[in-house]
């Protein structure tokens, strides 16, 4: 059984596209362990554009496209059932990878997976997450409607750990934006003073200018969602960044930014 699991893991790792991963999941699902299940979902998330029809399906014939959809549908059912089956065996890292994969693939979380994630957030294990894992968790929870199973106290614990990373300068500017966006999706208002201080100290005008206009817009919009739109200094910094990047903005992003400035 161990050799079969090793072989399946090798096949997943060597799969060139989503079609191949789906084929492995459909035909060898009985040999999947927790590691293989996590790896398969991670690779499907990586190849998600193919599953969504933005690559392989468009280039394939009608028959091939129907075959891909059939295999993908069966593979998804198998993988979701495997998540339930192996849920108790997933490591802390596996949980973060699965959470991110489900979010990337726009899958609703399995109840047992949601329970494990909630237990992780409520435990001391949360503090052991690396910055990139914490960012992934907040982003994925925001995208996966985590507020449906996380309590206010759990969100506060999550915020406290993110704030520690922010205050320690461990978050890159795009990561900081993802975190703020995630909390916005979770409808969680952040502790204003500490976040303002951390953003000013480590993510000033030069850092924000390095973001794409879409990221700048996302950040400004997210600030209003988490209650961080009352600081004049931050508002002036964003305005200066907006002016310096104005020619790169499309009309939709520009209109969104102006609405955000109105709120500030």
């Amino acid at each position: 059984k161990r050799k079969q699991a090793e072989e399946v893991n090798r096949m997943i790792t060597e799969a060139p596209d989503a079609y191949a991963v789906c084929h492995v999941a459909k035909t060898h699902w009985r040999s999947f362990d927790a590691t293989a299940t996590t790896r398969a979902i991670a690779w499907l998330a990586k190849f998600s554009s193919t599953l969504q029809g933005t690559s392989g399906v468009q280039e394939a014939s009608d028959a091939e496209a129907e075959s891909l959809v059939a295999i993908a549908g069966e593979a998804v059912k198998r993988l979701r059932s495997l998540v339930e089956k192996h849920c108790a065996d997933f490591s802390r890292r596996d949980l973060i990878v699965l959470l991110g994969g489900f979010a990337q693939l726009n899958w609703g979380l399995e109840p047992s997976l949601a329970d494990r994630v909630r237990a992780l957030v409520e435990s001391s294990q949360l503090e052991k997450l690396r910055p990139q894992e914490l960012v992934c968790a907040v982003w994925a929870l925001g995208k996966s409607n985590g507020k449906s199973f996380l309590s206010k106290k759990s969100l506060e614990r999550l915020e406290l750990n993110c704030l520690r990373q922010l205050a320690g300068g461990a978050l890159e500017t795009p990561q900081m934006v993802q975190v703020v966006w995630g909390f916005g999706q979770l409808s969680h208002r952040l502790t204003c003073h500490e976040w303002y201080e951390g953003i000013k100290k480590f993510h000033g005008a030069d850092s924000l200018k390095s973001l794409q206009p879409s990221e700048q817009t996302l950040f400004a919009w997210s600030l209003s969602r988490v209650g961080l739109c009352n600081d004049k200094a931050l508002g002036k910094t964003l305005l200066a960044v907006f002016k310096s990047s104005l020619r790169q903005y499309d009309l939709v992003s520009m209109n969104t930014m102006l609405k955000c400035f109105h709120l500030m």
Side-chain angles (χ1 to χ4, degrees), residues 246-264:
L246 188 58
R247 293 186 178 182
Q248 302 174 39
Y249 273 78
D250 57 39
L251 289 176
V252 174
S253 295
M254 187 183 300
N255 187 48
T256 301
M257 284 295 282
L258 292 174
K259 288 181 179 178
C260 291
F261 287 130
H262 178 71
L263 290 174
M264 294 179 180

Side-chain angles (χ1 to χ4, degrees), residues 187-255:
S187 301
H188 177 70
R189 295 180 73 83
L190 300 176
T191 309
C192 295
H193 178 71
E194 290 85 350
W195 281 89
Y196 284 142
E197 290 301 313
I199 292 172
K200 290 175 188 176
K201 185 174 181 180
F202 297 105
H203 306 286
D206 290 339
S207 296
L208 294 175
K209 285 178 182 178
S210 68
L211 298 174
Q212 294 295 319
S214 59
E215 293 176 305
Q216 294 172 6
T217 304
L218 189 67
F219 179 50
W221 177 84
S222 299
L223 289 175
S224 64
R225 294 271 295 181
V226 297
L228 295 181
C229 54
N230 297 316
D231 186 84
K232 290 184 178 181
L234 180 57
K236 288 181 179 179
T237 298
L238 278 172
L239 181 59
V241 170
F242 174 64
K243 289 180 177 179
S244 68
S245 309
L246 188 58
R247 293 186 178 182
Q248 302 174 39
Y249 273 78
D250 57 39
L251 289 176
V252 174
S253 295
M254 187 183 300
N255 187 48

Side-chain angles (χ1 to χ4, degrees), residues 39 41 59 64 79 114 134 154 184 187 224 230 232 247:
R39 183 167 296 173
I41 290 174
E59 297 172 2
E64 290 173 329
L79 286 172
L134 193 58
S154 296
S187 301
S224 64
N230 297 316
K232 290 184 178 181
R247 293 186 178 182

Side-chain angles (χ1 to χ4, degrees), residues 2 8 13 15 28 34 45 62 65-66 101 129 140 169 185 188 192 238 257:
R2 182 179 178 181
V8 163
T13 302
H28 299 281
D62 291 341
E66 289 178 7
L129 294 181
Q185 295 297 105
H188 177 70
C192 295
L238 278 172
M257 284 295 282

Side-chain angles (χ1 to χ4, degrees), residues 49-60:
S49 61
T50 302
L51 277 179
Q52 293 164 5
T54 59
S55 176
V57 173
Q58 289 182 347
E59 297 172 2

Side-chain angles (χ1 to χ4, degrees), residues 46-98:
K46 177 183 177 182
F47 294 129
S48 60
S49 61
T50 302
L51 277 179
Q52 293 164 5
T54 59
S55 176
V57 173
Q58 289 182 347
E59 297 172 2
S61 66
D62 291 341
E64 290 173 329
E66 289 178 7
S67 177
L68 175 57
V69 170
I71 290 178
E74 182 66 22
V76 168
K77 291 179 182 178
R78 293 297 187 190
L79 286 172
R80 292 178 72 99
S81 67
L82 286 166
V83 168
E84 289 283 306
K85 177 182 178 181
H86 297 297
C87 204
D89 301 323
F90 293 129
S91 67
R92 183 178 68 242
R93 180 182 177 278
D94 289 340
L95 289 176
I96 300 302
V97 171
L98 287 168

Side-chain angles (χ1 to χ4, degrees), residues 141-172:
L141 285 167
K143 201 168 188 296
S144 304
N145 193 31
K147 63 183 178 182
S148 65
F149 61 87
L150 290 179
S151 66
K152 182 179 179 180
K153 186 176 180 180
S154 296
L155 290 173
E156 289 173 351
R157 282 179 55 80
L158 196 60
E159 178 193 352
L160 180 60
N161 279 272
C162 290
L163 194 53
R164 286 173 181 162
Q165 298 295 343
L166 177 67
L171 299 182
E172 298 177 359

